Amino acid sequence: MEINNGTIEGNGNRKIIKGSIVAYLSLAVNILAGIVYTPWMVRQIGQSNYGLYTLAISITSILMFDFGIGSALSRFASQYRAKQDKQGLERFVGLVYKLYFSIDAVILVVSSVLFFFLGTIYAALSEAELAAFRVVYIMVVSYNLFAFPFANLNGILGAYEEFTTLKGCELLTRVLTIVFVVFSIWRGWGLYALVLSNILSGVIAIAIKWFVVRLRLRVIPCWGKIDVVLLKSILSFSIWSVVTSVSTTLGTGLLPSVITALLGAEAVAIYGAANTLNGYAFLLTNAIGGMFLPKVTRLQNDANERARLDGLAIRVGRILGMLSFLILIGFFCVGEEFFVIWMGENYRAAYPCACFLLIGELAFTPFHIYDTEMLAKGIVKPQAILYLVTAIFMLAASIPLISIAGATGAGLVVGAGYTLRSAFRLILYKKHLNISVGMFLKSTYGKMLAYVALAFILKPALNCFSVSTWAGLFLKGLVVLTVYLVTSLVFCLDKLEKQQLYGDGKVILKSLWKRLTHKEIEK
């Protein structure tokens, strides 16, 4: 369906494009902050205060765990919207609010009890650090208790395809936090002001989302009696979402502890650097996460459902695949020098670890639409079991491999675990969605074999020119990007994609030319 035909599908496509642009802009700010702003902040406030600041942020992420209700909200809200059942949506939102308030009460009790054991839990902190952290803890918990019930706003905005608002609030939160923190450091206000900076940014974002949902979308929660049948549906869905989230934490979140126990702090620092880069790559390829859920939900009611969903899966899969392979090839060619320039010579060993992590993380991003379809249809139990089995495998294999190969062994464990998980995901797609696995793999990965050949040609060629500065690394990266784009045009893009790229580029250039010449005439 054409994007500009004024239909719901066209509007949805435009919203996805706008949301993607804002999402990648937000991501660019995040990455820039991680590379430039964070080291500066650490130097300004000192390692001890930064440790307390980081600890406070980590507590926020733990306490804001929504027990899978967020995934359930996105799915059910998208279904209500697809059916144009606003009253049903408002009853559902009211029920979700009640669930969030109930969890809020549990968080209040647990966090209040934990407050009296902070000295035991964080025994390594000095008396002064512990006193400061108690104040920070109260600030963070108070904010979480306020913010937690409003987590449902994200699901509502996603169901209405308000991706620009969602991603714009993420960008605004990050920018405001940086501005507030820089101002606080400049004024010398200390640790509490830094934590308050995050809180104020979060409150402003919540206020914007609430006004959009309440005043523009006019979604008002219905506070009637509890629908027991709907509650059971939400909880049955949420339980398996929790299993998936916990399994992901078990599979990768415990690896730093295993590395520390077996090899000490230096090895875990190397793994941490590699995993940080892997996290940025994950964000790059998953910035559109959740944006296609409403569209996929609508297509399920289409007369030609399977063909349209497969077509969407292939188109999105090829785009994500090309982006993922660009990151993989770029890092394969210049990653080792990047680590040395960024972190120092001691972190050269992070390169092979990061290679394994990135292959496991990025090589299977083309599956995105089928993952979304499984979520839209409520098929979460099989994937949750698969994630749990994979996590157990990674933990079991991590001890011998880390003992033998250190941080590289940890990267190999994660890469192998993710690869096996993706292979079994294809089996689940075949069984539950009835897709043609061979057609999908051929359509998405077939021509991308040219990228693999490109990597093995570029790597030795670029190794002839060693660099030790950011400028030199940038030039090497530019060479990789140029060769990659040429390879894509010649070998990887099909005829229709080339025509669309040429047509869209021509329209954009004409528009820019008209604007420039119009300004010249005005002058």
Side-chain angles (χ1 to χ4, degrees):
M1 190 174 290
E2 294 297 323
I3 289 179
N4 294 318
N5 63 3
T7 63
I8 294 176
E9 286 301 315
N11 290 332
N13 290 337
R14 284 195 294 272
K15 289 178 178 179
I16 290 173
I17 292 171
K18 291 178 181 178
S20 299
I21 293 171
V22 178
Y24 280 107
L25 180 59
S26 176
L27 181 58
V29 172
N30 272 322
I31 294 176
L32 186 64
I35 295 176
V36 179
Y37 156 76
T38 301
W40 172 82
M41 183 176 68
V42 174
R43 289 194 300 270
Q44 296 299 315
I45 67 175
Q47 188 172 0
S48 176
N49 278 338
Y50 180 69
L52 296 177
Y53 176 77
T54 304
L55 189 57
I57 302 303
S58 68
I59 289 176
T60 299
S61 64
I62 294 172
L63 292 179
M64 291 296 280
F65 183 69
D66 72 349
F67 301 92
I69 297 176
S71 298
L73 177 60
S74 298
R75 180 201 173 218
F76 284 98
S78 295
Q79 288 181 337
Y80 282 117
R81 171 125 192 276
K83 297 174 184 176
Q84 297 184 347
D85 183 3
K86 191 173 182 181
Q87 289 184 342
L89 174 61
E90 290 178 341
R91 288 194 301 271
F92 172 74
V93 171
L95 179 57
V96 170
Y97 263 118
K98 293 173 185 177
L99 280 174
Y100 274 123
F101 282 129
S102 300
I103 297 173
D104 230 7
V106 175
I107 293 174
L108 175 60
V109 173
V110 173
S111 57
S112 298
V113 172
L114 284 177
F115 177 81
F116 296 100
F117 293 93
L118 291 178
T120 303
I121 298 172
Y122 301 108
L125 297 179
S126 66
E127 285 295 326
E129 289 172 335
L130 185 60
F133 182 67
R134 283 197 173 103
V135 177
V136 168
Y137 181 83
I138 292 173
M139 295 171 66
V140 170
V141 169
S142 299
Y143 167 71
N144 287 336
L145 291 172
F146 163 77
F148 190 72
F150 293 105
N152 70 84
L153 297 175
N154 292 339
I156 298 171
L157 290 169
Y160 277 84
E161 299 176 284
E162 293 288 338
F163 304 123
T164 303
T165 301
L166 265 176
K167 299 301 179 180
C169 283
E170 290 180 10
L171 174 59
L172 179 65
T173 301
R174 188 58 176 167
V175 171
L176 285 178
T177 299
I178 293 174
V179 171
F180 290 159
V181 167
V182 170
F183 183 75
S184 300
I185 292 175
W186 175 63
R187 298 291 296 177
W189 286 342
L191 173 64
Y192 303 148
L194 301 186
V195 177
L196 186 61
S197 297
N198 283 272
I199 292 174
L200 288 176
S201 303
V203 170
I204 291 171
I206 289 172
I208 293 172
K209 293 176 187 177
W210 186 87
F211 277 111
V212 171
V213 170
R214 179 65 180 82
L215 301 179
R216 192 165 83 198
L217 303 181
R218 299 188 181 279
V219 176
I220 304 171
C222 177
W223 300 102
K225 65 179 182 179
I226 295 177
D227 186 333
V228 178
V229 176
L230 180 58
L231 179 61
K232 288 181 179 179
S233 299
I234 295 172
L235 293 178
S236 62
F237 183 92
S238 300
I239 287 171
W240 293 110
S241 297
V242 171
V243 172
T244 300
S245 299
V246 172
S247 299
T248 302
T249 302
L250 285 175
T252 56
L254 292 180
L255 277 182
S257 299
V258 176
I259 298 170
T260 304
L262 294 174
L263 301 175
E266 290 186 4
V268 80
I270 291 173
Y271 175 79
N275 199 39
T276 297
L277 199 66
N278 183 51
Y280 289 144
F282 171 81
L283 291 173
L284 275 169
T285 53
N286 287 270
I288 61 171
M291 289 189 188
F292 284 92
L293 181 58
K295 185 180 182 70
V296 170
T297 302
R298 285 196 301 271
L299 289 178
Q300 288 179 355
N301 301 319
D302 191 84
N304 198 20
E305 172 192 343
R306 185 70 271 148
R308 294 195 66 188
L309 284 170
D310 286 339
L312 179 65
I314 291 170
R315 289 195 302 274
V316 175
R318 281 177 60 80
I319 293 171
L320 292 177
M322 292 178 69
L323 176 60
S324 297
F325 273 84
L326 172 60
I327 297 170
L328 283 171
I329 292 170
F331 182 77
F332 180 71
C333 292
V334 302
E336 188 171 4
E337 291 167 317
F338 170 81
F339 273 118
V340 173
I341 296 171
W342 181 40
M343 300 292 290
E345 182 64 35
N346 292 337
Y347 285 85
R348 187 183 293 272
Y351 171 69
C353 176
C355 283
F356 287 124
L357 289 174
L358 288 171
I359 290 172
E361 186 70 68
L362 299 179
F364 307 101
T365 52
F367 296 178
H368 179 75
I369 293 299
Y370 290 136
D371 278 339
T372 303
E373 187 181 353
M374 294 280 279
L375 175 64
K377 291 185 173 179
I379 308 172
V380 289
K381 180 179 177 180
Q383 292 212 96
I385 294 173
L386 174 59
Y387 274 63
L388 181 59
V389 172
T390 306
I392 294 171
F393 160 77
M394 287 194 288
L395 284 175
S398 65
I399 296 176
L401 282 174
I402 290 172
S403 300
I404 295 171
T408 301
L412 179 58
V413 166
V414 175
Y418 282 3
T419 301
L420 286 173
R421 190 173 72 190
S422 296
F424 281 102
R425 278 160 63 197
L426 284 173
I427 297 175
L428 293 181
Y429 301 152
K430 175 65 177 177
K431 179 180 178 180
H432 295 282
L433 304 180
N434 194 30
I435 71 166
S436 174
V437 174
M439 181 196 70
F440 174 73
L441 292 177
K442 180 180 178 181
S443 300
T444 51
Y445 289 96
K447 294 183 178 181
M448 291 185 189
L449 293 176
Y451 294 141
V452 178
L454 172 65
F456 285 100
I457 294 172
L458 267 180
K459 172 70 172 174
L462 291 175
N463 281 347
C464 297
F465 307 95
S466 61
V467 296
S468 58
T469 63
W470 285 110
L473 189 68
F474 174 78
L475 289 175
K476 270 194 172 184
L478 193 60
V479 170
V480 174
L481 177 61
T482 302
V483 177
Y484 179 88
L485 292 176
V486 172
T487 304
S488 299
L489 288 171
V490 175
F491 297 105
C492 299
L493 294 177
D494 58 34
K495 186 177 180 180
L496 179 60
E497 288 169 335
K498 290 177 182 177
Q499 289 175 347
Q500 289 177 336
L501 183 64
Y502 173 76
D504 291 343
K506 193 174 180 181
V507 170
I508 292 172
L509 288 174
K510 280 185 177 180
S511 176
L512 289 173
W513 174 253
K514 285 181 179 179
R515 290 184 182 183
L516 289 172
T517 52
H518 181 66
K519 288 180 179 179
E520 287 297 326
I521 292 171
E522 287 182 343
K523 289 180 180 179

